[in-house]
Amino acid sequence: MKTVNEYQKICVMGLGYIGLPTASLLATKGFEVVGVDVSQKVVDTINQGEIHIVEPDLDILVKSAVHSGNLSASLEPCEADVFIIAVPTPFKDGGPEHISGKKPDLSYIESATKKISSYIKPDNLVILESTSPVGTTDEVVAEILKGAGHAVGENVYVSHCPERVLPGRILIELVENDRVVGGINDASTKVTVDFYERFVRGSVLPTTAKTAEMVKLTENSSRDVQIAFANELSMICETENIDTWEVIELANRHPRVNILNPGPGVGGHCIAVDPWFIVDRSPEHSRLIRTAREVNDLKPEWVIERIKKYANKLKNPKIGCLGITFKADVDDLRESPAFGIVNRLIQMGIGEISVCEPNIKAIDGIELCGLDDLIMNSDILLLLVDHKEFRALSSKCLDEKIIIDTRGFLKK
Ligand code: SAJ
């Protein structure tokens, strides 16, 4: 029987924002890693030591992992000691009968589990890192492996260890954050804790699979509710003609108040999605979580109404949008409220729209331009994302422009 300290070969399913950093980190720690992705382009890019996503220092890490010979990418899994599943869990249309219309889509987890199933041997460990509805590790991953004839829980260990890293700080947080590990039984939990302790500096905290799933959903729902509070406040302050950011700054001087920042809405693949997994399973008890989601989802519409108010006063207004990604200093457009707002403005034919987005080279159907050109050629400047490249901008130097700052970011 192999002990955890002898686990050497790792197969990572999914080479996206979590899988690729995890695979390359493990490779640079001396593990032999094969990363698997469904996209030939992604596989080729990584095998050339290049990357397909923007994340600080990831390019250097991947290059050194590939050049060391410890990381390779492939379309197919292979035999390994540990299998890490890091694939997306989006939602799909739940139809008109469904409470929110949004149902978790577990097809990527199902397909990754089926794919690795024929490579699994006794003493293997399977870890689900994808954020998942409560019950997924037991009812989907473990069940599929059992169905394929594996002695799950006896000599094949299965656990959930949700990723908790913040885009923009992934490589730091992969090592420094505490990890929550929930196995389908005690043996699985123990093996998984021992595995993470080989490369994580934070504490590795044992629990059950269902609790670990709920912990992750709780973290992101808690943040969503707090951002919804800030977003609601910004709409209330606007009707009162009060500066929201001043209100928040002053209220936060209270020792027990810590309000987050309003913005154009909540985006990304996590916070805008995960709370629905709770609502889907416990609709009757999740009124606050659901309302927070709705408040955050409605915020882009409120921003558009404000833009219309100003644009309608001008003849063919030129609207320059600063940023289009879901948050600062990333290239990720998933669920981006800024992207949604820009697309709606284009569809509605409100003026001429151009965008400055320092983290993306080209986007279909959207005119991207440099910061100076954008400022020079716009009547209305719409700050949607607080990218570092915009940090030096001051509303004083932009006097003759109409400024709509959805993040309270421009210097006064
Ligand atoms: N946002 C605001 N106001 C704020 C903070 C954020 O409007 O005060 C917006 C952002 O602009 C963005 C969205 O919320 O559109 C989400 O951004 P984020 O930075 O809060 O979070 P993510 O989605 O990048 O990462 C989150 C993190 N979860 C928590 O902080 C609880 C991260 O730790 C998770 O690993 C990640 O989700 C995930 O993968 O689940």
Side-chain angles (χ1 to χ4, degrees):
M1 186 188 153
K2 239 183 195 178
T3 65
V4 177
N5 284 334
E6 291 164 321
Y7 285 170
Q8 188 52 31
K9 185 149 185 193
I10 320 286
C11 175
V12 178
M13 299 298 290
L15 291 173
Y17 286 90
I18 302 302
L20 181 57
T22 304
S24 24
L25 174 78
L26 288 167
T28 54
K29 297 268 177 199
F31 292 94
E32 189 191 331
V33 185
V34 174
V36 179
D37 203 276
V38 290
S39 157
Q40 182 72 57
K41 201 166 161 218
V42 168
V43 166
D44 293 343
T45 307
I46 291 161
N47 281 333
Q48 283 155 18
E50 306 289 328
I51 55 173
H52 59 292
I53 49 183
V54 170
E55 177 62 31
D57 300 329
L58 184 62
D59 51 348
I60 302 165
L61 192 73
V62 170
K63 198 165 256 139
S64 97
V66 171
H67 288 162
S68 72
N70 279 350
L71 174 65
S72 63
S74 166
L75 287 171
E76 279 304 314
C78 56
E79 288 194 352
D81 300 311
V82 182
F83 293 84
I84 297 178
I85 300 174
V87 295
T89 39
F91 45 59
K92 59 184 176 193
D93 189 2
E97 310 288 272
H98 189 260
I99 172 96
S100 63
K102 295 175 163 79
K103 271 203 89 53
D105 177 0
L106 302 182
S107 58
Y108 296 92
I109 293 183
E110 286 165 5
S111 133
T113 311
K114 285 179 191 155
K115 243 178 153 175
I116 59 174
S117 173
S118 54
Y119 296 93
I120 286 178
K121 309 177 302 299
D123 294 337
N124 278 175
L125 168 61
V126 178
I127 302 164
L128 177 64
E129 283 214 7
S130 314
T131 305
S132 304
V134 172
T136 308
T137 312
D138 289 297
E139 294 158 24
V140 178
V141 178
E143 279 308 308
I144 290 174
L145 297 177
K146 270 184 207 159
H150 298 296
V152 173
E154 289 169 38
N155 63 17
V156 170
Y157 308 106
V158 179
S159 294
H160 183 49
C161 178
E163 61 80 13
R164 307 166 105 187
V165 290
L166 193 72
R169 282 177 50 84
I170 291 180
L171 296 183
I172 301 162
E173 295 204 355
L174 264 182
V175 176
E176 300 296 335
N177 285 3
D178 293 346
R179 299 298 295 252
V180 176
V181 165
I184 55 155
N185 60 1
D186 290 347
S188 297
T189 308
K190 165 125 192 27
V191 170
T192 315
V193 168
D194 291 348
F195 172 64
Y196 279 94
E197 280 182 340
R198 287 177 67 186
F199 61 93
V200 166
R201 254 203 297 267
S203 305
V204 185
L205 309 161
T207 183
T208 63
K210 277 181 92 172
T211 304
E213 286 158 348
M214 191 63 192
V215 168
K216 172 63 199 245
L217 300 181
T218 300
E219 291 164 3
N220 281 358
S221 301
S222 149
R223 193 149 168 89
D224 198 42
V225 170
Q226 291 177 59
I227 301 170
F229 180 78
N231 277 335
E232 189 163 287
L233 199 63
S234 71
M235 297 185 272
I236 296 167
C237 285
E238 173 91 4
T239 58
E240 297 287 2
N241 216 4
I242 298 171
D243 181 340
T244 319
W245 285 276
E246 190 184 357
V247 169
I248 293 175
E249 198 184 321
L250 295 176
N252 281 349
R253 298 293 284 268
H254 183 287
R256 284 172 297 284
V257 172
N258 187 12
I259 302 165
L260 294 181
N261 296 310
V266 168
H269 186 56
C270 312
I271 296 188
V273 176
D274 303 347
W276 290 121
F277 295 175
I278 295 182
V279 177
D280 178 62
R281 272 181 81 103
S282 302
E284 66 282 20
H285 299 302
S286 50
R287 280 178 297 171
L288 179 63
I289 293 172
R290 183 180 174 190
T291 304
R293 236 1 359 268
E294 286 165 353
V295 168
N296 286 333
D297 271 355
L298 276 174
K299 189 72 193 288
E301 277 308 312
W302 181 84
V303 174
I304 288 167
E305 286 308 311
R306 283 187 71 208
I307 301 164
K308 269 165 60 185
K309 210 171 82 189
Y310 290 107
N312 286 342
K313 292 184 187 146
L314 304 172
K315 223 190 218 165
N316 194 27
K318 297 193 173 74
I319 306 177
C321 304
L322 296 158
I324 196 165
T325 57
F326 88 90
K327 70 173 194 173
D329 308 326
V330 298
D331 67 335
D332 194 342
L333 289 173
R334 289 177 299 175
E335 312 294 327
S336 166
F339 190 42
I341 289 169
V342 168
N343 276 325
R344 285 269 286 127
L345 292 175
I346 293 171
Q347 272 164 18
M348 292 187 322
I350 301 183
E352 269 173 50
I353 312 294
S354 44
V355 175
C356 172
E357 175 45 72
N359 300 292
I360 297 181
K361 287 200 186 84
I363 307 174
D364 273 354
I366 291 176
E367 192 195 321
L368 293 182
C369 58
L371 184 55
D372 292 343
D373 285 349
L374 185 101
I375 293 174
M376 200 164 61
N377 297 324
S378 301
D379 307 307
I380 298 178
L381 280 175
L382 173 61
L383 189 292
L384 291 168
V385 190
D386 41 349
H387 289 313
K388 61 179 185 305
E389 288 79 0
F390 308 148
R391 207 161 280 160
L393 290 175
S394 153
S395 48
K396 274 195 210 114
C397 321
L398 303 168
D399 260 359
E400 76 283 19
K401 313 279 177 190
I402 296 170
I403 296 171
I404 304 175
D405 179 1
T406 68
R407 303 248 178 201
F409 179 70
L410 294 178
K411 278 195 230 126
K412 294 266 157 35

